[in-house]
Amino acid sequence: MDATGYLAPVGFEEQLYNELGDVIERHDRLMFAPGPERRVFWAQNVWRNPVRIAIPSIKGAAKILKFNQRNWALFKFDHFSRAKLIEGHLPHVSAKRQVFGEPAPTAPLGSWTLIDPDTIIASADCSSPWKNGEIEFEEDKVTPPNRAYLKLWEAFTRLGAAPQAGDRTMDLGGSPGGWTWVLHEFGTDVISIDKARLDTKIASLPRVDFRQESAFGLNPEEIGYIDWLCSDVICYPDRLFTLVNQWMDAGMATNFICTIKLQGDTDYSAITQFADIPGSKVVHLYNNKHELTWMKVPGVTDQD
């Protein structure tokens, strides 16, 4: 097709459409732009080197796909019954939820969609190892005080890297404590910062040092070295950018996972300044809402 496919997260189709700017073909959330893969922030999955295939029959479509690769994930947007019949002739792909702590899938997973009864578009090489980029976890519905912890679970799972026991970590914007709980579970010493209080059961954990103050008033030299600086603080992107640069310039933190909160129209210049930080990347996590996640983990994000 001499194009690349980009699948938008549900509800953020226009962000991706505007980001690409030159969409030549669109099928619901799946958009194609000319040329090889480009840096985008609002794609949940990227379809590399897609091909358009005329299919002779339901079984014939499955045979063509299986000839190229074993595992395929269907993106459904139309012709549901016929697509389901084709899917039924393909090898089953497990739909079980991701267990946090287990590695991401490693088996190649292609994507395909039925654009009309006789035509499919397929890509054997996709950016996400999860079906349509949807990483759903076996959740802990008892311990964490909110569901924000899923963002940090997803970030660590996608990175394939995480804090080690004995590390010194920091959670900026910690209240009510979901991210603080995740960091504590790794065996780290957590400094949790927020003007609002933590949930009492999180604040009482043995290695949690809660400080009721503003994340923007901290002096990195006074805090001391931090192995993992994580932030889910609510603020404008420019203010977060200043904060992380303060820590980087001071050389007082190595690994960063920070949520970029967005309001109203997407400010691409504000996002790009994070993505341009050497050795880092910006992504839309499946568990993000109207926000993106900036990650800087030496040896990992600088290899992507």
Side-chain angles (χ1 to χ4, degrees):
M1 293 179 63
D2 193 26
T4 301
Y6 304 87
L7 182 64
V10 174
F12 299 102
E13 296 85 353
E14 294 313 302
Q15 280 83 357
L16 177 60
Y17 184 85
N18 293 332
E19 182 179 15
L20 290 170
D22 55 351
V23 172
I24 56 175
E25 188 171 336
R26 178 173 179 177
H27 304 286
D28 193 60
R29 293 190 289 124
L30 180 60
M31 307 175 200
F32 293 89
E37 180 179 0
R38 62 186 74 170
R39 184 177 77 175
V40 295
F41 310 127
W42 290 98
Q44 190 164 283
N45 197 15
V46 177
W47 296 26
R48 306 178 181 114
N49 303 310
V51 293
R52 192 189 314 271
I53 306 169
I55 58 174
S57 63
I58 289 171
K59 289 185 179 179
K63 184 176 181 180
I64 291 169
L65 291 172
K66 287 189 289 186
F67 178 79
N68 288 279
Q69 183 164 285
R70 182 189 185 279
N71 296 327
W72 290 93
L74 167 62
F75 169 62
K76 294 184 290 185
F77 74 94
D78 201 356
H79 312 289
F80 300 105
S81 297
R82 189 168 175 82
K84 197 69 177 176
L85 289 171
I86 296 171
E87 185 180 42
H89 287 280
L90 293 170
H92 175 70
V93 176
S94 175
K96 68 179 182 179
R97 291 174 176 262
Q98 179 78 31
V99 175
F100 181 62
E102 293 185 355
T106 56
L109 180 63
S111 296
W112 68 280
T113 190
L114 188 66
I115 63 171
D116 65 49
D118 302 309
T119 310
I120 63 176
I121 295 178
S123 169
D125 180 15
C126 293
S127 64
S128 177
W130 293 279
K131 181 178 179 180
N132 296 322
E134 299 168 356
I135 174 169
E136 296 186 333
F137 288 97
E138 286 286 352
E139 297 187 30
D140 183 331
K141 298 183 178 181
V142 177
T143 314
N146 62 4
R147 299 184 76 248
Y149 75 95
L150 293 170
K151 292 185 285 187
L152 203 51
W153 271 13
E154 181 178 351
F156 288 135
T157 302
R158 289 174 59 145
L159 288 167
Q164 302 297 308
D167 280 355
R168 198 161 182 254
T169 62
M170 177 174 285
D171 177 15
L172 302 180
S175 179
W179 283 32
T180 295
W181 170 73
V182 172
L183 295 170
H184 181 270
E185 289 299 288
F186 283 110
T188 73
D189 296 306
V190 191
I191 301 174
S192 185
I193 306 290
D194 205 310
K195 288 183 176 180
R197 290 189 175 275
L198 288 182
D199 181 277
T200 54
K201 64 182 177 183
I202 304 300
S204 64
L205 293 172
R207 294 182 308 279
V208 170
D209 175 9
F210 173 63
R211 305 182 186 184
Q212 194 170 7
E213 57 183 302
S214 170
F216 302 97
L218 302 177
N219 183 327
E221 284 82 4
E222 292 180 359
I223 296 291
Y225 179 76
I226 299 295
D227 294 286
W228 288 81
L229 189 151
C230 301
S231 171
D232 199 29
V233 70
I234 298 173
C235 66
Y236 287 108
D238 285 345
R239 200 171 188 203
L240 178 65
F241 184 73
T242 298
L243 184 150
V244 298
N245 273 282
Q246 180 184 15
W247 282 88
M248 288 190 295
D249 292 345
M252 299 304 290
T254 297
N255 304 290
F256 296 81
I257 299 176
C258 301
T259 306
I260 306 171
K261 307 285 186 176
L262 302 167
Q263 299 178 13
D265 294 337
T266 301
D267 185 347
Y268 287 99
S269 62
I271 299 167
T272 300
Q273 65 183 348
F274 282 93
D276 287 342
I277 294 174
S280 71
K281 67 177 182 179
V282 173
V283 299
H284 184 276
L285 301 176
Y286 175 65
N287 290 286
N288 276 145
K289 295 180 181 178
H290 188 205
E291 57 195 11
L292 297 167
T293 298
W294 173 70
M295 300 185 286
K296 186 176 187 298
V297 179
V300 179
T301 53
D302 49 5
Q303 303 300 314
D304 294 339

